[in-house]
Amino acid sequence: MEILQPPGWPRPRGYANGIAARGRLVFVSGMIGWNADGRFASDDFSAQAGQALRNIVEVLRAAGARPEHIVRMTWYVVDRREYLAAGSALGAVYRDIIGAHYPAMTAVEVRALVEDRARVEIEATAVVPD
């Protein structure tokens, strides 16, 4: 896996501008902040994001992949201000679950998610090296 950082561009915080990788592709559908029983333990944004990230890690594990194999994530949030306000708490949750690995990421504010209680939905793509 190669982090793509164009010359002269400032290094982004918390994500990569791009990643080049070779291997087995693993696509994880949008995960929300409910547990394996389909229940939400919290309405807190950071708590839901943490559970969504743990769900992604479980799906990756089923494919023989690990968090460091993630090359791209897309975050769908229902409130941009809530996402931005979560800042440091969200960063701590992310590092606790994913580690210090920052793939290419996009965050998009959406009007709503399919599950009414969901505050965030995260999809991921991973590449397991050959």
Side-chain angles (χ1 to χ4, degrees):
M1 185 178 311
E2 175 189 1
I3 304 294
L4 304 175
Q5 179 64 31
W9 284 27
R11 185 166 299 283
R13 290 189 60 202
Y15 66 95
N17 286 308
I19 293 183
R22 220 177 268 237
R24 179 175 177 229
L25 299 174
V26 179
F27 300 93
V28 181
S29 65
M31 294 288 132
I32 60 174
W34 62 18
N35 62 23
D37 296 324
R39 295 189 181 138
F40 289 93
S42 175
D43 290 320
D44 175 75
F45 184 88
S46 294
Q48 283 198 15
Q51 184 60 57
L53 292 169
R54 282 188 287 280
N55 294 343
I56 287 169
V57 170
E58 286 300 311
V59 174
L60 291 174
R61 187 175 291 127
R66 297 185 306 272
E68 62 267 24
H69 296 137
I70 297 170
V71 295
R72 179 158 183 71
M73 298 177 106
T74 303
W75 294 55
Y76 300 95
V77 301
V78 295
D79 186 336
R80 181 180 73 87
R81 287 184 181 96
E82 180 181 37
Y83 167 75
L84 293 172
S88 60
L90 181 57
V93 166
Y94 180 93
R95 287 185 302 277
D96 185 52
I97 298 163
I98 304 298
H101 172 66
Y102 304 103
M105 286 193 221
T106 300
V108 180
E109 182 180 43
V110 295
R111 182 182 306 187
L113 296 167
V114 172
E115 292 298 326
D116 287 334
R117 267 184 88 181
R119 307 301 304 153
V120 59
E121 184 167 337
I122 308 167
E123 61 183 19
T125 303
V127 178
V128 182
D130 292 330

